[in-house]
Amino acid sequence: MNKKRWALVVLIAIVVFGYLKLFYKTYSTAVVTGSADCIIAIDVKRITNTVIWNTITTPSQWKKISFSAGSKNEVSWKDMIDIPDYVLAFHVKEQPLNTWYLVLNIKDEKDFAKGLQVYHFEKLDSNSYTSKDYALTFFRNGDKILLTNSTSENNANLLQVANKLFVQKNYIAKQTLEKALTAKSHLAVYIASNNFLAEPAVISGNFDKNTIEITCTATQKKQFTFSANNFDCNSTSLCTLAFTQPSDAVFSLLSNTDKSNISKALSQDIDSVFLPTNKNYNLGISAIKTRTDSAISYTYDNDFNKIEKTVVNTVQEPDFNFAITGDSVSNIYNYWQHNNKLEPTAAGQLFTSMPFVKSYCTKESETTLNITAANYQPVSIDRNIQAVLFFKLMLTKIPKDLLRYLPAGIVKAVANLESIQLTINKKNNQLYFECILQKQKNDLPIIKL
């Protein structure tokens, strides 16, 4: 065989190996139980390929790549278990909403045993182990483990799912699982039909160097009606939130506990504000403004002479306007007056439900009611959005000292994001969801973990 043929054989072998390593993917239905009502499918190879390509096309980040190996004595999850082509996490019907499961294969027995010590797993019984430090529990069946984020106190839930998978061999239908896998996205979430959905829905998530995009088309049941509206807004405002009045059926999805929690957060009884005859709501926060506020106090010297003391405080307040549009604004306005939510002042009707931000309530017309910050400056309108719900947050406009109130992990993860935008609209009597996370204009990763 001459050199050209050898070179061709080698080239074909490299191409085949590259295809199998980077693109060829397999999956098994035996890792998801038939009683799953929600499945998260993470396409590991698609994510790996995108990260590799983004790195190759961003030379400024090459110097940060480290090829150094860790200590031989260190053991991580990737040493303990095989990473499948698709990571398939699932939720089971009638179990707590925050309880999820994942089936994995043990990669190396010695490393797995070491890992149990590293991650502080304790043995519950002959098959179950739990780690209080990491809030993880798993059931072992041969070379497979069923991992859950449920605590050991709820071990009955884990045993129930393990019995369905390993004993009853009750697996998800291939056609159902393929609905998530054929989405051809970095991440897909399959949601079975339920009290709200007339048909199963699939949420797709994709990312590149500059954006993360999440989309979903859902068919809701007929009793859940939605209306769209044209909203005016300013594209550079710190925050915009606009939505139409939810129908009675949609509003009924909130439990009494949910309503109570929202009412406490807003210092308002939401049943008295979100009335059926309202049409829509529009909140615009142009910026967080800083102002100085002085307070006078008095102290006394040794001779009991009064000494005046002035304390100057720096206060950060949102520059906002919240508008309610509909036929019920007079009822809302009268309700607030009757319940002492409005206090007459020389500057207008002070809205007392916002104690941390001085704001005023104004009934602009029989169909429009505004709550406006005292420092509000009207902004120009440069965008019109048709939507059931529209939300946009400019993260780069949030003062850094206010971010300290968020968990450090979240602040670090979103540090390079410029904006988050969510739109819900109607298309052919279906709901279309779109969420876009936009990166700042630089060569840094879009999300830093």
Side-chain angles (χ1 to χ4, degrees):
M1 187 178 290
N2 59 36
K3 293 182 178 179
K4 289 185 178 180
R5 290 183 177 179
W6 271 113
L8 181 60
V9 170
V10 172
L11 178 61
I12 293 174
I14 292 174
V15 170
V16 171
F17 175 79
Y19 171 76
L20 294 176
K21 189 70 175 177
L22 298 176
F23 300 101
Y24 180 73
K25 291 169 277 193
T26 61
Y27 68 92
S28 171
T29 59
V31 297
V32 180
T33 179
S35 57
D37 59 0
C38 187
I39 305 168
I40 299 177
I42 302 174
D43 190 332
V44 175
K45 287 190 175 180
R46 183 181 290 269
I47 292 175
T48 302
N49 294 343
T50 300
V51 171
I52 291 173
W53 177 250
N54 289 348
T55 302
I56 292 174
T57 56
T58 313
S60 63
Q61 294 297 302
W62 294 355
K63 60 184 179 181
K64 297 182 181 180
I65 300 175
S66 175
F67 296 98
S68 60
S71 171
K72 292 183 179 180
N73 295 323
E74 291 181 358
V75 176
S76 64
W77 280 104
K78 66 180 181 179
D79 301 314
M80 299 169 62
I81 51 99
D82 281 316
I83 305 299
D85 295 336
Y86 291 99
V87 174
L88 300 172
F90 60 93
H91 176 267
V92 176
K93 292 178 182 177
E94 299 179 357
Q95 287 204 10
L97 293 176
N98 61 347
T99 300
W100 290 82
Y101 298 92
L102 175 64
V103 174
L104 297 167
N105 290 330
I106 295 174
K107 183 177 183 178
D108 183 275
E109 280 291 346
K110 291 183 178 179
D111 285 341
F112 187 78
K114 289 181 181 178
L116 294 184
Q117 297 179 358
V118 170
Y119 295 106
H120 307 147
F121 277 95
E122 301 175 3
K123 197 168 186 177
L124 295 175
D125 53 44
S126 57
N127 298 97
S128 300
Y129 299 77
T130 189
S131 171
K132 294 180 180 178
D133 293 345
Y134 293 88
L136 294 172
T137 306
F138 71 83
F139 180 94
R140 177 168 182 172
N141 181 65
D143 62 348
K144 297 181 182 295
I145 64 169
L146 175 64
L147 183 69
T148 180
N149 61 338
S150 178
T151 60
S152 58
E153 286 78 9
N154 296 323
N155 201 41
N157 291 333
L158 173 64
L159 297 178
Q160 180 186 33
V161 178
N163 181 62
K164 290 181 179 180
L165 281 172
F166 302 135
V167 179
Q168 300 178 22
K169 300 189 183 302
N170 181 342
Y171 307 139
I172 194 79
K174 183 178 180 181
Q175 296 84 348
T176 300
L177 188 57
E178 285 181 343
K179 290 180 180 179
L181 302 186
T182 55
K184 295 182 179 180
S185 56
H186 294 93
L187 180 145
V189 181
Y190 168 85
I191 305 174
S193 54
N194 50 37
N195 293 336
F196 178 76
L197 293 173
E199 300 174 7
V202 176
I203 302 172
S204 299
N206 287 286
F207 71 94
D208 57 25
K209 285 197 296 186
N210 298 310
T211 60
I212 297 175
E213 184 175 13
I214 303 169
T215 59
C216 176
T217 299
T219 303
Q220 73 278 12
K221 291 185 176 180
K222 292 182 179 179
Q223 66 265 34
F224 299 107
T225 58
F226 295 87
S227 60
N229 186 73
N230 286 314
F231 295 101
D232 293 329
C233 62
N234 180 277
S235 58
T236 62
S237 290
L238 183 151
C239 180
T240 300
L241 173 62
F243 57 96
T244 56
Q245 169 66 30
S247 64
D248 289 340
V250 174
F251 209 68
S252 67
L253 293 174
L254 294 174
S255 66
N256 290 332
T257 301
D258 294 332
K259 290 182 179 181
S260 177
N261 291 336
I262 296 173
S263 296
K264 288 179 181 178
L266 298 177
S267 298
Q268 287 292 321
D269 181 357
I270 62 172
D271 286 326
S272 67
V273 177
F274 297 101
L275 302 178
T277 52
N278 287 341
K279 293 182 179 179
N280 55 72
Y281 310 83
N282 195 338
L283 169 66
I285 304 176
S286 60
I288 301 294
K289 293 185 176 180
T290 302
R291 67 175 177 86
T292 56
D293 187 20
S294 60
I296 298 176
S297 61
Y298 296 92
T299 58
Y300 296 88
D301 60 18
N302 294 334
D303 297 324
F304 299 99
N305 296 312
K306 184 186 291 186
I307 301 174
E308 184 178 295
K309 183 179 180 181
T310 302
V311 178
V312 178
N313 297 313
T314 300
V315 181
Q316 290 179 311
E317 294 180 339
D319 182 5
F320 78 94
N321 180 66
F322 177 60
I324 302 174
T325 303
D327 297 330
S328 298
V329 297
S330 294
N331 294 334
I332 298 172
Y333 187 79
N334 294 335
Y335 174 82
W336 283 342
Q337 282 189 319
H338 181 73
N339 287 274
N340 299 319
K341 301 293 184 181
L342 303 180
E343 180 182 319
T345 68
Q349 295 287 339
L350 183 67
F351 189 59
T352 60
S353 286
M354 289 192 178
F356 301 111
V357 183
K358 183 184 289 187
S359 53
Y360 296 92
C361 178
T362 307
K363 191 171 72 167
E364 298 289 344
S365 68
E366 291 301 316
T367 58
T368 305
L369 184 68
N370 284 352
I371 301 172
T372 307
N375 62 352
Y376 177 69
Q377 295 293 326
V379 295
S380 60
I381 302 300
D382 62 1
R383 188 176 182 186
N384 182 269
I385 300 292
Q386 183 182 47
V388 173
L389 181 147
F390 176 76
F391 170 75
K392 184 175 181 180
L393 178 65
M394 296 292 293
L395 295 170
T396 52
K397 283 200 163 190
I398 301 177
K400 291 184 179 180
D401 56 333
L402 293 183
L403 294 176
R404 68 178 184 270
Y405 296 106
L406 296 175
I410 294 178
V411 174
K412 179 182 177 182
V414 304
N416 200 36
L417 287 180
E418 179 182 73
S419 64
I420 300 174
Q421 178 175 302
L422 169 65
T423 307
I424 303 177
N425 218 331
K426 287 178 61 178
K427 290 186 178 181
N428 300 323
N429 294 321
Q430 292 180 306
L431 288 177
Y432 179 74
F433 299 76
E434 181 184 55
C435 181
I436 298 175
L437 285 72
Q438 185 69 43
K439 184 177 77 71
Q440 298 182 40
K441 292 180 174 63
N442 55 42
D443 288 338
L444 299 175
I446 187 169
I447 293 290
K448 188 174 182 180
L449 301 176

